[in-house]
Amino acid sequence: MVRSCVHIVGGGVIGLACAWELSRNGHDVTVVAPSPGRDGASWVAAGMLAPVTEAQFGESALTALLLAGARLWPGFAAALEEAAQESIGYDTTGTVTVALDASDRASLDDLLAYQQSLGLEATRCSASECRALVPALSPTLRGGIEVPGDHQVDNRALLTALGAACRHGGVAFVESSVSAVGAGPELVLADGRRLHPDHVVLAAGTGLPFIGGLEGAGLPEVRPVKGHIIRVRPPSGPHAGAAPLLTRTVRGLVHGHSVYLVPRRDGSVVVGATVEERGDDTAVLAGAVHELLCDARAIVPGLDELELSEVAAGLRPATPDNTPRIGWTALEGVMLAVGHFRNGILLAPLTAAAVVDLLGERPVAPVIEALAPA
Amino acid sequence: MVRSCVHIVGGGVIGLACAWELSRNGHDVTVVAPSPGRDGASWVAAGMLAPVTEAQFGESALTALLLAGARLWPGFAAALEEAAQESIGYDTTGTVTVALDASDRASLDDLLAYQQSLGLEATRCSASECRALVPALSPTLRGGIEVPGDHQVDNRALLTALGAACRHGGVAFVESSVSAVGAGPELVLADGRRLHPDHVVLAAGTGLPFIGGLEGAGLPEVRPVKGHIIRVRPPSGPHAGAAPLLTRTVRGLVHGHSVYLVPRRDGSVVVGATVEERGDDTAVLAGAVHELLCDARAIVPGLDELELSEVAAGLRPATPDNTPRIGWTALEGVMLAVGHFRNGILLAPLTAAAVVDLLGERPVAPVIEALAPA
């Protein structure tokens, strides 16, 4: 294999996972990003690894990609924890999705039939079966679905571990944004500096449209899809509870709204997420926080007694068909790894492996080949 | 008048107002508080000056006190702004209280009858009359009450201005908590230092029960009453609105819950406040934030599009009869000014004036005399 000098534009989970995998495969890697590990949607995310509960009608090709991504996770998690010498909170307990009203139950049954038609593992549960799995559920639910194959990772621990593994692996970091990409390839930084690697991987997420010089590269449109999220944790004061409220990811349909509650090992819970087409707007709005609290407490009433520790909003990078683009662009030496939308964390290991293969000019699987930029 | 050395224990609005008034009256004043201007309930408050809408059945004596307090505000505000050379956001536009459902309307009519029986100025309004005063109100309200005499001040600007006026007036600050009060009087600080002023004014709010040496002083029980509050502001991004959402304080009864929205001149709005008997617990709980958002957006739906800029909880100092205690204690040279509960900001000028009179051994009005510790 030829050792190549690769510059990765973007410090989210895709950029860092690519950087680590490329460094493990002998490349000379630099990450160029304003704030690696804190950039973009990855830091705000919940960390669900959910190929089954993210399956949407009409997106069976995407579901196949998500399943391929999920299969890499156990090995990726073990190798990363070994390399970083840190836990990433990888948890394979499984997920329960519940329905609040009869209409939600009907929607969930339709979804279950679709999941089963794709051969996915999902089981219908009565309300009491759901509560046996998750005692904190509201007694008024209409039952749900158990999905043992949908897991989670602590996204912030993951980003921290990826940063550590990159540093241990000799990855360099240039904390700057990239204003343009030129032939060569060449990277022009915000402060005017110019870098000349052998190859560039554009993993800039919603930042992609702000990079100049890419007009003829055949890039997809990438739009920001806003998501609000809140984090709650057990209060430390006199009203602190003994047992954690949740030990398993809960998703819910609440009068037609989707909500999820992802518990962390420290007893905190990530509640998300809105899906809003509002352009580049990361203001935390009162109405969105209300909606999340309202929907989450409808399925897990005990949430009321947890401390609200964070409210945030992030922007997911989405392409017109909600599917990522991974592959060489029309610009010599410039590769793309963007548009992961709601599935960036799930798809990070698969994307990183694909980028390594593409750089090594090795054949990739058909699911990856299908993601090549037009 | 004899110039006396007075130490004030407490750096909330009561402590600072007393310090400034005493310094204006020629005394040698020191404020002893861990974080003057940021201590206690005053910083978290909304700043309503509301003798009428705070009138509660069976508390007509307290209402008389609140009215006496309100009468001092115009002069106090003008003198303070002059002394501090800063605006305190004093606003006399008036308040509208609205009812969400028929039962809320009935409660509001009962309250209106009570207010009018006390001779207070309050007028019944139809829903459309309310919306003429406050266009942002929900179209589904059941009308309300207009109360021209209930005003507001920006509590944080007030605290900042009081601090500045104190410093200009020569008030000294000792940033420490007081662990005990002894005969003399003597103040024992947390670090063991001992201070020996001529007089002590205890304005420690919910901190009072934590000060030792006061067993025989005849002090009232002071308990903390928790209040959650949230602050919202116009977003600065692409969705920023032109006109402020509110220009007048709105109170509401929402399915029996009380809520208020107090607009600031910068377009932000303070939304409060829960009233919770939970001991010394200042954790911001998800359920309380949900309740405030839910009730506030029910009467002002446009709140949804404002940015959630702060969530907080504070502890109001309340006595068993919800009425403050102002006067000399059984301990020689030690005066009390505590227990202002929901009305500390409204009553700060009156309390400060009373403390000056009591220290000067001048007669005080009967409403003040009635507040003497037992």
Side-chain angles (χ1 to χ4, degrees), chain A residues 11-13 37-47 155-156 159 204-207 225 227 229 231 313-317 340-345:
Chain A
V13 70
R38 296 294 190 111
D39 291 328
S42 315
W43 183 256
V44 181
N155 59 307
R156 293 182 177 177
L159 291 164
T206 55
V225 180
I229 208 160
R231 286 167 188 258
L315 299 173
R316 313 172 186 91
H340 291 74
F341 194 29
R342 296 166 61 95
N343 301 298
I345 292 177

Side-chain angles (χ1 to χ4, degrees), chain A residues 34-90:
Chain A
S35 179
R38 296 294 190 111
D39 291 328
S42 315
W43 183 256
V44 181
M48 281 189 299
L49 306 170
V52 180
T53 53
E54 284 289 332
Q56 305 285 321
F57 293 101
E59 293 187 346
S60 59
L62 180 58
T63 297
L65 181 70
L66 301 184
L67 287 167
R71 279 192 290 272
L72 297 188
W73 256 95
F76 179 85
L80 177 59
E81 290 191 337
E82 171 71 24
Q85 288 292 301
E86 289 173 18
S87 166
I88 59 170
Y90 177 55

Side-chain angles (χ1 to χ4, degrees), chain A residues 330-374:
Chain A
L331 212 65
E332 177 79 27
V334 177
M335 196 187 294
L336 204 60
V338 295
H340 291 74
F341 194 29
R342 296 166 61 95
N343 301 298
I345 292 177
L346 173 60
L347 293 177
L350 183 69
T351 303
V355 164
V356 169
D357 286 340
L358 289 164
L359 259 171
E361 294 176 8
R362 283 188 295 276
V364 291
V367 285
I368 298 295
E369 223 166 350
L371 306 178

Side-chain angles (χ1 to χ4, degrees), chain A residues 205-270:
Chain A
T206 55
L208 189 67
F210 300 99
I211 300 176
L214 293 167
E215 294 72 18
L219 301 195
E221 193 192 322
V222 174
R223 72 184 194 284
V225 180
K226 183 173 181 178
H228 279 83
I229 208 160
I230 64 181
R231 286 167 188 258
V232 295
R233 65 182 175 206
S236 53
H239 297 270
L245 183 65
L246 296 175
T247 54
R248 181 187 294 261
T249 297
V250 175
R251 303 186 71 141
L253 268 184
V254 177
H255 305 313
H257 300 163
S258 287
V259 67
Y260 54 74
L261 297 93
V262 183
R264 295 281 191 254
R265 287 178 184 167
D266 64 0
S268 65
V269 180
V270 186

Side-chain angles (χ1 to χ4, degrees), chain A residues 51-55 57 93-101 103-117 120-134 137 141-150 248-253 259 299:
Chain A
V52 180
T53 53
E54 284 289 332
F57 293 101
T93 308
T95 294
V96 174
T97 303
V98 296
L100 187 70
D101 64 24
S103 165
D104 297 326
R105 173 77 259 183
S107 299
L108 225 49
D109 284 338
D110 288 347
L111 193 63
L112 177 65
Y114 176 68
Q115 290 165 342
Q116 291 176 337
S117 78
L120 305 175
E121 191 182 354
T123 313
R124 195 180 200 278
C125 296
S126 69
S128 57
E129 286 164 341
C130 289
R131 298 193 72 205
L133 292 168
V134 183
L137 288 175
L141 299 175
R142 298 299 184 104
I145 302 173
E146 184 187 0
V147 180
D150 276 5
R248 181 187 294 261
T249 297
V250 175
R251 303 186 71 141
L253 268 184
V259 67
I299 58 174

